[in-house]
Amino acid sequence: MEVILTQDINGLGYKNDTVNVKPGYGRNYLIPQGFAIIANNSNAKKIAENIRQAAHKAAKLKNDAEELANKIGDLTLNIKTKAGESGKIFGAVTTVQIADALRVKGFDIDRKKIAISGDIKQLGEYKANIDLHKEVKKEISLVVEAD
């Protein structure tokens, strides 16, 4: 089943992308929740017109994302957390903590746009990816330290 996404969905695609999904997922979740519309000729024409009108706005968003990526540069975040003697931390470092650390540095980035591979449950150095725009991604370094 082909659907046109009406908003960005992590792991599936970005707004205005036409994607193939299983019929049940499309009919029972994406369309009723307003995340997608059926990909037919009339909807495709509407989306194409919307894309054409929003092209200059999209270019500005991409430029803003590139500027933010340049400002972030080679940023290394120090995240302090409680840890045991062996270096194992209590709980795990989450995207919420990373977003808070970025906010302290002056970057307001939504936690949903931050991805970490695996769980951070030990002290040490890690990498996190920030999805600033459809075409602009940024990798930052994390140093998890004992509090």
Side-chain angles (χ1 to χ4, degrees), residues 15-133:
K15 183 177 181 177
N16 298 328
D17 285 351
T18 302
V19 294
N20 278 320
V21 295
K22 292 187 176 182
Y25 183 53
R27 277 194 310 268
N28 297 327
Y29 179 68
L30 293 176
I31 294 171
Q33 294 292 327
F35 298 150
I37 55 175
I38 295 174
N40 57 24
N41 288 340
S42 65
N43 285 339
K45 287 179 184 177
K46 288 178 192 173
I47 295 298
E49 179 64 21
N50 289 343
I51 290 171
R52 190 183 65 75
Q53 291 177 358
H56 72 283
K57 185 177 178 183
K60 183 181 180 337
L61 287 175
K62 183 179 177 188
N63 287 339
D64 291 346
E66 287 173 346
E67 286 178 22
L68 182 59
N70 290 335
K71 283 182 186 175
I72 291 174
D74 294 330
L75 180 68
T76 300
L77 291 178
N78 293 325
I79 298 176
K80 298 199 180 283
T81 185
K82 293 185 180 183
E85 295 292 322
S86 64
K88 184 172 177 157
I89 65 175
F90 302 125
V93 174
T94 63
T95 57
V96 174
Q97 290 170 298
I98 297 170
D100 289 341
L102 283 167
R103 200 167 291 115
V104 167
K105 296 277 187 178
F107 303 107
D108 188 25
I109 297 173
D110 186 24
R111 68 176 177 83
K112 295 176 187 167
K113 301 212 180 260
I114 301 171
I116 48 178
S117 58
D119 291 334
I120 300 177
K121 295 190 174 195
Q122 293 281 335
L123 298 177
E125 294 185 21
Y126 297 91
K127 299 281 186 192
N129 293 311
I130 303 173
D131 186 8
L132 298 172
H133 183 269

Side-chain angles (χ1 to χ4, degrees), residues 132-146:
L132 298 172
H133 183 269
K134 185 176 185 175
E135 300 168 6
V136 180
K137 316 270 189 263
K138 185 68 180 170
E139 185 175 80
I140 59 170
S141 299
L142 306 172
V143 177
V144 180
E145 302 171 333

